[in-house]
Amino acid sequence: MEPLDPYDNPIKCIFVCHFHHTAGPKILCQVPKDFLSKDTFETVSVYMIPKGQLQKFIITITTRDNKILGYPIQINDQKYLRNAYYFNLCFVCDHNSYTLHYEPIVKKLSTFLLNLEIEDNFLSKSDQSEKSQEELLCLMSQVMEDLNLYKRCTLIARQSIIYLNVIEVSRNPPTPLDFDVPLLVSEIDFLDEQWDLTTRQVAPFIDGVNHVSKISKLSKLDIEVVAACIQNLVYCNAVSLVDLFRYSNMYVCTTKIVQLARNKSRYNEAISAISRPGGPKATFKDIFTVFSAMRQGSRFIDVCLRFNPVSINIDERNLVLYGLANGYIRQLRKYPVVLKEKDVSKTFMGNYYNGLNSLNIISCFTNSDVYQLDEEIERDIRIVSVWK
């Protein structure tokens, strides 16, 4: 059975193979024993001990059941019968697993074995010495067990020591939808050469107002290219995705709002970001009061009618964007659900009301007025709404 999460991918096997001067490619050691059959190894052996051009490069081979990650190494020395010794240390994971975080470990561990071989013929002797083979087996067993359990391993062999750590891998963010709005959450110089040309072309239009579809038109790029660019920026923690700003949206305070109250150094920043341009500055007391009024059951329009942000010099759009960017507030979304399956076909746009599509997303996809759509949902007794 395939793992549900490709990021949750324990090492299934570690093996070391080499090129025997008479038998050809051969497994020297594997943990657990006989995990890879002889037939399976022979199928991939040409990639395990490849030609010289692929030496000291990470090689990934995907079979029907497994993904094999290796780092083949060639040692040129006249002491060997063929004037060279070839070996490859390999990790085996499930065939659909994400293995990028294991690549540095495979490379580092292979280099460790290379040094042991140069100093003491550690690998080449293992084919003839039971003691050396047993030592190699113990080392690989320790690596597999420690990495799977603790994500780190300290290995000691022949007065040498090596530290292995599995790097934490960030999961790929979801692909932005056409009406998602990218919002900058950190100060980044997009003119820096580290950013590609597409990102530099898209960046000027990321203002917390333009959605992905509009950015595509403004930058004159295909929407798929823009979506991929913004997805990469989300991965880099440069932007976050929010819904289109609407007064019908509902926002609630998070526990981080306490940090804003206690950190007086943020007061001036908040006032500068949220005050209406061209007029007197808003007070921090008013800003914090409006933030605190955002709670479940109150739409943003209700908050605005209560406090009249214009009268207290608050730009309501900037208030929301600043709160979302810093995590002081989060948006609650409404997800309509048709209670009975038999009513789906009888309900207008019933296929969208499955609990997976928020009201804003349905409004964007169907080009419907969000307020009219909300009223229709509220009147229909066959539909319930979940806020989350």
Side-chain angles (χ1 to χ4, degrees):
M1 181 180 293
E2 296 182 358
L4 296 177
D5 187 351
Y7 291 83
D8 183 18
N9 51 347
I11 302 167
K12 296 166 64 176
C13 171
I14 297 179
F15 70 90
V16 179
C17 60
H18 72 157
F19 188 87
H20 190 272
H21 62 279
T22 57
K26 177 182 176 182
I27 292 180
L28 189 61
C29 159
Q30 65 171 317
V31 180
K33 188 177 181 181
D34 298 327
F35 180 86
L36 281 185
S37 66
K38 184 178 179 181
D39 291 341
T40 302
F41 177 73
E42 287 180 352
T43 303
V44 298
S45 62
V46 65
Y47 308 107
M48 296 292 93
I49 309 294
K51 301 294 184 182
Q53 296 88 333
L54 295 178
Q55 299 295 327
K56 292 193 176 181
F57 284 98
I58 291 290
I59 294 178
T60 303
I61 302 162
T62 303
T63 65
R64 186 180 64 179
D65 300 316
N66 300 307
K67 180 180 286 188
I68 303 173
L69 190 68
Y71 187 74
I73 291 180
Q74 172 183 339
I75 305 173
N76 295 313
D77 197 309
Q78 293 182 359
K79 67 182 179 181
Y80 301 111
L81 290 176
R82 289 177 175 258
N83 295 325
Y85 181 71
Y86 305 85
F87 75 92
N88 194 354
L89 167 94
C90 300
F91 283 12
V92 182
C93 299
D94 197 87
H95 74 100
N96 69 341
S97 293
Y98 188 86
T99 57
L100 184 64
H101 51 304
Y102 286 132
E103 290 184 6
I105 294 178
V106 170
K107 184 176 180 180
K108 188 174 183 179
L109 190 53
S110 296
T111 305
F112 180 70
L113 293 179
L114 168 64
N115 293 331
L116 291 179
E117 172 63 23
I118 292 174
E119 292 173 5
D120 195 33
N121 298 327
F122 181 67
L123 295 177
S124 54
K125 282 197 309 187
S126 297
D127 198 31
Q128 303 170 356
S129 168
E130 290 187 7
K131 182 179 178 181
S132 297
Q133 193 166 43
E134 186 66 28
E135 185 178 357
L136 178 61
L137 186 65
C138 289
L139 291 176
M140 296 303 105
S141 299
Q142 181 186 344
V143 170
M144 180 172 167
E145 182 177 353
D146 287 357
L147 292 183
N148 282 338
L149 288 177
Y150 312 113
K151 306 300 180 186
R152 62 183 184 274
C153 176
T154 302
L155 207 58
I156 301 174
R158 306 291 176 88
Q159 298 181 340
S160 297
I161 187 169
I162 183 174
Y163 300 96
L164 304 173
N165 288 283
V166 179
I167 60 173
E168 184 178 351
V169 178
S170 300
R171 297 167 185 262
N172 289 331
T175 302
L177 300 175
D178 293 359
F179 293 95
D180 279 338
V181 178
L183 172 66
L184 283 173
V185 294
S186 57
E187 294 184 8
I188 292 178
D189 181 11
F190 285 109
L191 297 178
D192 195 301
E193 292 184 357
Q194 68 169 321
W195 299 106
D196 57 79
L197 293 176
T198 302
T199 302
R200 296 186 202 178
Q201 193 169 344
V202 167
F205 306 106
I206 299 177
D207 57 1
V209 178
N210 297 327
H211 51 68
V212 173
S213 182
K214 187 174 182 179
I215 292 174
S216 172
K217 293 177 182 178
L218 293 173
S219 61
K220 299 179 181 180
L221 294 170
D222 290 341
I223 194 166
E224 292 83 5
V225 175
V226 173
C229 174
I230 292 173
Q231 183 183 26
N232 181 60
L233 291 174
V234 174
Y235 182 86
C236 297
N237 295 319
V239 305
S240 63
L241 297 176
V242 298
D243 283 349
L244 286 166
F245 174 80
R246 287 185 170 124
Y247 287 96
S248 60
N249 291 347
M250 186 182 296
Y251 304 97
V252 294
C253 288
T254 69
T255 55
K256 286 187 176 181
I257 195 69
V258 177
Q259 299 176 11
L260 177 62
R262 292 175 177 174
N263 190 354
K264 294 186 178 181
S265 63
R266 302 297 298 271
Y267 286 13
N268 290 335
E269 177 189 90
I271 291 171
S272 177
I274 295 171
S275 296
R276 300 181 70 84
K281 298 292 184 181
T283 66
F284 181 79
K285 178 183 177 181
D286 288 335
I287 291 173
F288 191 81
T289 300
V290 177
F291 271 140
S292 301
M294 297 182 186
R295 57 184 64 129
Q296 187 169 351
S298 296
R299 297 178 183 270
F300 190 58
I301 183 65
D302 300 324
V303 176
C304 290
L305 290 173
R306 178 181 172 188
F307 291 99
N308 189 8
V310 175
S311 67
I312 52 179
N313 306 311
I314 289 178
D315 186 310
E316 55 267 37
R317 183 191 291 271
N318 288 344
L319 175 79
V320 169
L321 294 180
Y322 182 81
L324 290 172
N326 290 279
Y328 301 139
I329 61 173
R330 67 180 181 89
Q331 182 177 348
L332 286 181
R333 296 178 176 87
K334 186 176 185 178
Y335 293 81
V337 183
V338 178
L339 285 175
K340 298 180 180 179
E341 188 175 349
K342 65 179 182 179
D343 292 333
V344 172
S345 58
K346 301 176 185 179
T347 308
F348 179 62
M349 294 192 297
N351 289 330
Y352 286 100
Y353 302 153
N354 55 12
L356 301 176
N357 302 307
S358 68
L359 183 63
N360 281 350
I361 294 298
I362 297 171
S363 170
C364 292
F365 280 155
T366 60
N367 199 25
S368 306
D369 181 82
V370 68
Y371 301 103
Q372 182 179 352
L373 191 60
D374 192 20
E375 289 179 2
E376 292 174 355
I377 290 171
E378 291 299 321
R379 287 198 302 263
D380 197 326
I381 61 174
R382 295 167 297 187
I383 304 173
V384 297
S385 297
V386 179
W387 290 89
K388 56 182 180 179

